[in-house]
Amino acid sequence: MDNKLSRRSLLQAAATAPILSAAASAAATPASAAPASATPHGGRPDPADPRFTFAVLPDTQYLLDDGGSDPEPVRATLRHLVREQARDNIVFMAHLGDVTEHGTVTEMHAASRAFDAAGRLPYSVLAGNHDVGGDDQRGDTPYLRTFGPQRFSRMKTYGGSSPDGYNSYHVVRGGGREWLVLALDWRASDAGLTWAQGVLDEHPLPAVLTTHDIVWAEGDGQAQLSDNGKRLWDRLIKGNDQIFLALGGHYWPSGRTTMTNDAGNPVHLHITNYQDRYYGGAGMVRYYSFDLARGVIDVETFSPWLLEKRDPTPLESEHVELSGDVDRFTVEIDFDERFAAFAPPVLPVPLAPSAVMPRGTVAYWRFDEAGLATAGADGAPVAPGTVARDLTGNGNDLTSELLHASAPEALTWSDEHHDAQPAHASLRFDGGKGPDRGAVLRTGPDAPVNSATFESGYTIETFLKLPEPFEGDHSWMGILSWEGRAGDAGKHSGWSDDEPTCSLNLSGERFLQFVVYPVPVDADPTSWSHAIPVGRWMHVALVNDGRHTVMYVDGSKIVRNAAEESRGISTLGKPFAVGGTQSAERYGQGFYGWIGDTRIVSRALRPEQFLTARGK
């Protein structure tokens, strides 16, 4: 077991230290003193992990001041970032300027020694007004000799600097994609802005702009552009859709705002500065924790130096972590949509049917040109009688039909699809109640899958998406099912004898329900998902190992799986259907949403063998 204390537990311990007993305060052992433990990825961040951290270190000038310097909080922060680089998946650190108080040779020498603690951690540093004077055409300075291009040239992330040396850029990898970091001088000249535009033009990547002076805020935390910020906004930010996040220091208190660029997209502008806080900011660092899976950036601010204190004073405990609205918050971003215009995600290419039919594949249906006898354009109605071929060649073809005299628009062809789906197409079902309407695709009367009982196990997979907004009453609509009454199979212990012997449905609370009547017993073991989201594709797999059935949603096992014996499916030779569930002799409402590739395999597959794994 990993016995290294988490940062969260350390924060909690430090915050309550003044009232802890001696025994309890032992829990506040600093991370540096905790027993060593193995970290993932050889101690390096994982560039493919959808969760990664961009660290920001603001004004450190009061800690690197000839008049009373104490660089230890800066070193402690950098040591922390190096130590936790793998655990927190820290891919980069950006300093926001005012490294020192006076920009002297002595102060820069102290700053250089402090930054030696960063080791191999990639980082950028830009000049603040306390480090330099004038704009980026100022020529040689102690700052440039310390934090000029020569300092970053060996970093893998470093892309280059402007000719004057005061502006630089890095290309950082995180979440499986590349990000551009622009580190601009506190007063970028016209030449500097021209250089920055060239970098943006040459690197069509999501961009984080860092500079020293961009926004300021009053006590309410609502930020607004400074004079220099207005220049940057007008000359660089608003016309470059790539820039989605702009960070600065210089002013206090901290604040944030969101503005709309020329492309109509939000740009988040934040001020981060804690030099007015205890001990010159105590080396406060801000984590921008990107989570591409959740579509958010979680922001938190803390002091690693204070975090390591074994017996913090009340004042030190008060500043271990900041929790106000401008220091701890979440930014919501649909990353794929936000960056689609200039850096769309690279999606897997469609796969040939033969690539996703492993041993034991009983049936495989898809709704592109390979699977539909007549595939139409996006939004075109699917005519009744259209055949969706069983691409295994086993004879389980599906034929479409409209329910209850529904209009042709009840079933249409769509080019929407799950990113990992082998076929880049789906069917859009417009089922509903009052009156019942919809469409269904059914196997023929002699299809082998109609009477297959799967007593040795099975895997049933499909891709589906619910519309957003999810309007109307669509409770208990069917998704997949075998026709045939449970009562006719001799099963009378379920909710109704008229229930199908096996079906995947959606409840009124948007819970997936998979109910199956096994072969050997009179029971209806049922699996339930959580409330599934709308407006988002998902993959659903029902896996039976010959004893129990487990539901997976997006490759994750759900909690509410049936505990009863669940061997096989009591099929009755009746058709298998996609897009509806037959109760007794009648289909009610058809499915409302999209259905993509659907596959049945006569054995239990592991998640790494699902269709989302590209047919491995």
Side-chain angles (χ1 to χ4, degrees):
M1 182 179 72
D2 187 350
N3 60 0
K4 184 173 182 179
L5 293 174
S6 69
R7 190 179 72 75
R8 176 62 54 202
S9 66
L10 284 166
L11 286 170
Q12 292 169 342
T16 56
I19 59 173
L20 290 176
S21 67
S25 65
T29 302
S32 59
S37 61
T39 54
H41 317 297
R44 298 295 179 195
D46 178 6
D49 193 321
R51 297 173 176 85
F52 64 93
T53 301
F54 182 89
V56 176
L57 181 61
D59 308 49
T60 52
Q61 63 192 78
Y62 292 168
L63 299 170
L64 293 161
D65 177 1
D66 281 341
S69 180
D70 183 2
E72 181 53 30
V74 179
R75 285 196 292 263
T77 291
L78 296 173
R79 286 196 303 265
H80 174 91
L81 297 179
V82 170
R83 184 173 60 243
E84 303 302 323
Q85 189 174 5
R87 185 180 298 275
D88 294 338
N89 207 27
I90 303 167
V91 299
F92 196 76
M93 190 277 291
H95 195 293
L96 299 181
D98 276 0
V99 182
T100 68
E101 175 68 4
H102 303 99
T104 65
V105 171
T106 302
E107 289 177 350
M108 286 298 167
H109 186 55
S112 181
R113 290 199 307 269
F115 269 80
D116 287 343
R120 295 184 179 180
L121 176 74
Y123 62 88
S124 63
V125 180
L126 56 91
N129 58 298
H130 280 260
D131 302 311
V132 294
D135 65 19
D136 57 21
Q137 303 304 306
R138 63 185 66 88
D140 183 48
T141 60
Y143 168 86
L144 189 62
R145 294 194 295 272
T146 306
F147 293 107
Q150 73 284 352
R151 189 172 196 99
F152 310 107
S153 60
R154 294 186 179 181
M155 294 182 186
K156 292 182 179 180
T157 59
Y158 178 63
S161 295
S162 56
D164 51 81
Y166 285 99
N167 305 285
S168 65
Y169 77 93
H170 292 249
V171 176
V172 178
R173 189 156 189 85
R177 69 186 308 162
E178 290 184 330
W179 309 77
L180 178 66
V181 179
L182 273 176
L184 299 187
D185 187 81
W186 104 284
R187 286 290 183 268
S189 63
D190 288 347
L193 293 179
T194 298
W195 171 86
Q197 184 62 61
V199 171
L200 289 165
D201 292 343
E202 293 175 9
H203 300 83
L205 302 171
V208 178
L209 184 148
T210 62
T211 190
H212 185 59
D213 168 15
I214 189 166
V215 290
W216 63 277
E218 299 284 4
D220 62 1
Q222 181 61 40
Q224 54 188 302
L225 292 171
S226 66
D227 289 343
N228 187 63
K230 290 176 183 176
R231 182 169 181 269
L232 289 175
W233 177 262
D234 291 338
R235 293 283 300 276
L236 191 68
I237 299 173
K238 73 172 184 177
N240 286 284
D241 194 30
Q242 295 168 242
I243 302 174
F244 70 99
L245 181 63
L247 309 175
H250 188 53
Y251 305 100
W252 66 77
S254 294
R256 56 190 174 110
T257 190
T258 303
M259 298 179 66
T260 302
N261 65 16
D262 288 347
N265 285 321
V267 181
H268 305 278
L269 302 103
H270 300 167
I271 174 176
T272 303
N273 187 10
Y274 305 103
Q275 67 186 91
D276 63 318
R277 297 277 187 154
Y278 167 70
Y279 216 79
M284 285 280 181
V285 67
R286 177 173 282 190
Y287 270 12
Y288 282 79
S289 299
F290 286 65
D291 190 331
L292 305 192
R294 291 168 50 229
V296 300
I297 304 174
D298 292 318
V299 180
E300 57 180 328
T301 308
F302 64 100
S303 167
W305 178 63
L306 294 176
L307 185 64
E308 293 180 355
K309 294 282 187 178
R310 291 181 179 274
D311 188 19
T313 67
L315 185 58
E316 289 171 335
S317 296
E318 180 183 339
H319 286 82
V320 169
E321 182 176 30
L322 304 182
S323 56
D325 290 342
V326 294
D327 300 310
R328 185 177 183 84
F329 56 91
T330 294
V331 176
E332 296 186 0
I333 299 180
D334 184 329
F335 292 98
D336 286 345
E337 181 178 341
R338 176 62 180 83
F339 306 147
F342 55 88
V346 179
L347 301 179
V349 299
L351 290 180
S354 59
V356 288
M357 291 192 288
R359 174 179 58 85
T361 303
V362 171
Y364 175 45
W365 303 281
R366 53 197 275 173
F367 308 116
D368 59 357
E369 292 81 355
L372 280 180
T374 53
D378 182 45
V382 177
T386 297
V387 174
R389 292 183 288 265
D390 172 14
L391 295 170
T392 66
N394 291 332
N396 298 301
D397 294 350
L398 299 171
T399 302
S400 68
E401 63 180 271
L402 297 173
L403 302 175
H404 318 303
S406 295
E409 291 74 23
L411 183 64
T412 55
W413 187 83
S414 174
D415 58 9
E416 288 205 36
H417 57 88
H418 189 288
D419 287 351
Q421 190 174 302
H424 289 187
S426 62
L427 294 180
R428 171 68 161 88
F429 294 79
D430 189 27
K433 294 181 178 179
D436 287 343
R437 68 177 190 275
V440 67
L441 287 86
R442 307 164 69 215
T443 55
D446 300 321
V449 74
N450 296 357
S451 54
T453 56
F454 304 103
E455 293 186 59
S456 296
Y458 56 84
T459 299
I460 304 170
E461 296 177 78
T462 194
F463 294 91
L464 61 92
K465 175 184 173 181
L466 302 180
E468 185 178 23
F470 193 64
E471 298 175 332
D473 179 5
H474 302 286
S475 58
W476 305 111
M477 66 181 182
I479 302 169
L480 309 173
S481 71
W482 269 270
E483 296 179 3
R485 298 173 65 255
D488 292 341
K491 313 297 181 180
H492 304 286
S493 63
W495 175 75
S496 167
D497 282 3
D498 288 337
E499 251 191 328
T501 58
C502 180
S503 60
L504 174 65
N505 313 294
L506 190 80
S507 77
E509 298 84 8
R510 300 201 317 274
F511 284 38
L512 293 171
Q513 178 210 48
F514 181 65
V515 58
V516 58
Y517 286 83
V519 171
V521 294
D522 184 4
D524 61 340
T526 303
S527 301
W528 295 88
S529 79
H530 50 287
I532 62 174
V534 300
R536 174 177 138 188
W537 277 98
M538 68 199 71
H539 171 266
V540 181
L542 299 315
V543 180
N544 179 276
D545 63 1
R547 295 169 299 158
H548 299 100
T549 304
V550 176
M551 182 188 294
Y552 292 83
V553 176
D554 288 333
S556 296
K557 177 183 175 182
I558 69 159
V559 66
R560 300 177 65 197
N561 285 302
E564 298 99 325
E565 172 70 19
S566 182
R567 176 163 60 86
I569 301 172
S570 296
T571 53
L572 294 169
K574 301 281 188 175
F576 175 82
V578 174
T581 297
Q582 188 182 54
S583 177
E585 300 301 321
R586 181 180 183 276
Y587 279 94
Q589 170 197 350
F591 182 68
Y592 179 60
W594 289 261
I595 295 179
D597 292 21
T598 301
R599 183 174 73 174
I600 302 175
V601 180
S602 62
R603 61 189 176 95
L605 298 181
R606 302 183 302 276
E608 61 268 24
Q609 297 172 307
F610 291 165
L611 282 168
T612 48
R614 310 292 284 166
K616 292 181 182 178

